[in-house]
Amino acid sequence: MGREASGRWSAFQRLCAAGVVAAVAVLGVAAAPVVWAESQDAPGDRRGWLVVCGVALLAGVAASVPLGRRVTAADYAASVVGVVLLLAVALGTVFAAAQATHAIGLRLHEPRAVAATVTDCRTTGRELDDQGRGHDVYGCTYHWSVDDRESSERRPTHELLPDGHRTRVWVDGDRMITEKPGLLAIPFWVVLTLAGLLGTLAFAANLAARVRDLGLLSPP
């Protein structure tokens, strides 16, 4: 569909197209801090960001309806899939960047290994292993002290431990981390971040080309 077909779009439909672009941008920007914080188990209330995501999603869907009436069902579905893939790759890039930043931070600022006491161990559920066999999943609460400040956190374990069991854990500030990341963690997440960034730019360029060919955002 070439540029000569652009005249078939009304001013209202062009406005809707601009609205879809804006809604997708807002949805991506609002979802990014949620993905980043969740990937790091960071405390905080993220309901505000989630409300913005919901509003942007509804606005984008509503704005796309008038456009879907002028294109085939296949083209409309392809555009929706393209937008979903764009958001998935972009947010995946945010996740990888958060992991890379965290791994680099742990390497630059050596996490402390401290003594911890385990309490309240119990079975929390069941899961399947690689052979399809079910086994119990356990969880324990770890208690430790750093600079006379008491902290505790609940974590999954491979076995049920008795109350008072002594072990050693890594801590990053007031948070317990599973283990110190290996040296390969940093290049792994950095490469994924760069690949995700390139993928995001490629998807965005492809969608921009489709919009340009349709003449939706160009003046009549």
Side-chain angles (χ1 to χ4, degrees):
M1 189 177 299
R3 191 172 179 81
E4 63 273 13
S6 64
R8 71 191 182 97
W9 301 104
S10 66
F12 174 70
Q13 288 169 329
R14 295 174 189 279
L15 181 62
C16 288
V20 170
V21 173
V24 171
V26 171
L27 178 57
V29 170
V34 176
V35 171
W36 188 291
E38 286 294 327
S39 72
Q40 304 303 308
D41 293 328
D45 188 354
R46 293 179 267 280
R47 286 176 294 182
W49 288 115
L50 293 175
V51 169
V52 174
C53 290
V55 172
L57 178 61
L58 292 175
V61 171
S64 71
V65 172
L67 305 178
R69 295 170 182 167
R70 298 298 299 272
V71 297
T72 65
D75 285 342
Y76 184 77
S79 298
V80 171
V81 170
V83 171
V84 171
L85 287 175
L86 171 62
L87 288 172
V89 174
L91 295 179
T93 303
V94 172
F95 177 85
Q99 299 301 320
T101 301
H102 183 63
I104 293 171
L106 289 179
R107 276 292 164 183
L108 293 178
H109 307 286
E110 190 79 9
R112 298 179 64 173
V114 299
T117 303
V118 175
T119 63
D120 192 27
C121 289
R122 61 177 182 268
T123 303
T124 58
R126 288 183 64 82
E127 66 180 15
L128 297 177
D129 58 20
D130 294 338
Q131 285 73 41
R133 295 173 298 191
H135 61 86
D136 291 333
V137 178
Y138 311 111
C140 298
T141 300
Y142 292 80
H143 306 268
W144 68 90
S145 175
V146 175
D147 299 330
D148 296 326
R149 185 172 62 251
E150 300 291 332
S151 301
S152 65
E153 191 165 334
R154 189 160 189 83
R155 286 280 180 164
T157 61
H158 298 296
E159 59 180 323
L160 288 176
L161 301 172
D163 283 358
H165 175 81
R166 299 285 291 177
T167 185
R168 192 166 68 163
V169 298
W170 296 100
V171 294
D172 179 22
D174 292 331
R175 304 301 306 276
M176 175 181 166
I177 59 177
T178 305
E179 61 184 359
K180 183 179 177 181
L183 288 175
L184 291 179
I186 295 176
F188 174 79
W189 289 115
V190 169
V191 168
L192 278 187
T193 300
L194 294 176
L197 180 59
L198 291 176
T200 300
L201 294 176
F203 271 112
N206 181 265
L207 287 174
R210 287 178 59 84
V211 171
R212 184 178 63 251
D213 291 343
L214 289 171
L216 264 172
L217 296 181
S218 58

